[in-house]
Amino acid sequence: MCYLPEHLIFHIKRFEIPGKKISKFLKYPKILDMKAFQQKKDNVNNQVTRYRLISIAEHVGRSDTSGHYTAHAFREGHWYLFDDDHFQQVDEKEALK
């Protein structure tokens, strides 16, 4: 990978065919260092290779045909839960579970 983007987005497959949800817990870091995926010679501008987790979208439900999405987002030093038209501040442990 020659150049890393300013923002990095991962979409992780959470459904099997024919729509059954993969419910296994997925652990992810708050800080992700992409240095291991970039050859030293490619980092010509001494790019920052570390990304901080700032949001998570999550499907709540058992299949791809039922349930809805919620999101957690980090802003100004706090985590928030967004669920339809409601939002509330939550602690980091709740946001990253």
Side-chain angles (χ1 to χ4, degrees):
M1 185 179 297
C2 293
Y3 298 100
L4 295 170
E6 183 177 350
H7 301 281
L8 189 62
I9 300 170
F10 288 96
H11 180 257
I12 300 165
K13 179 184 168 201
R14 301 296 291 167
F15 295 99
E16 297 175 349
I17 296 184
K20 181 182 175 192
K21 185 169 183 179
I22 300 169
S23 58
K24 183 180 177 185
F25 178 74
L26 177 65
K27 187 175 180 177
Y28 42 85
K30 290 188 303 184
I31 303 291
L32 178 63
D33 193 345
M34 294 295 290
K35 191 177 210 171
F37 302 98
Q38 187 180 45
Q39 293 183 17
K40 190 171 186 159
K41 68 178 177 63
D42 290 335
N43 194 347
V44 294
N45 295 329
N46 243 359
Q47 274 185 289
V48 174
T49 60
R50 294 169 49 114
Y51 292 86
R52 177 183 300 277
L53 181 66
I54 60 168
S55 64
I56 304 156
E58 177 183 23
H59 180 265
V60 180
R62 294 185 178 184
S63 75
D64 63 350
T65 60
S66 66
H68 73 283
Y69 284 89
T70 61
H72 287 89
F74 186 76
R75 181 172 175 133
E76 298 177 353
H78 301 284
W79 281 96
Y80 295 90
L81 167 64
F82 295 89
D83 186 351
D84 293 331
D85 59 348
H86 303 287
F87 73 94
Q88 67 184 34
Q89 186 175 332
V90 295
D91 63 21
E92 183 176 274
K93 186 176 180 182
E94 167 70 19
L96 302 179
K97 71 174 187 170

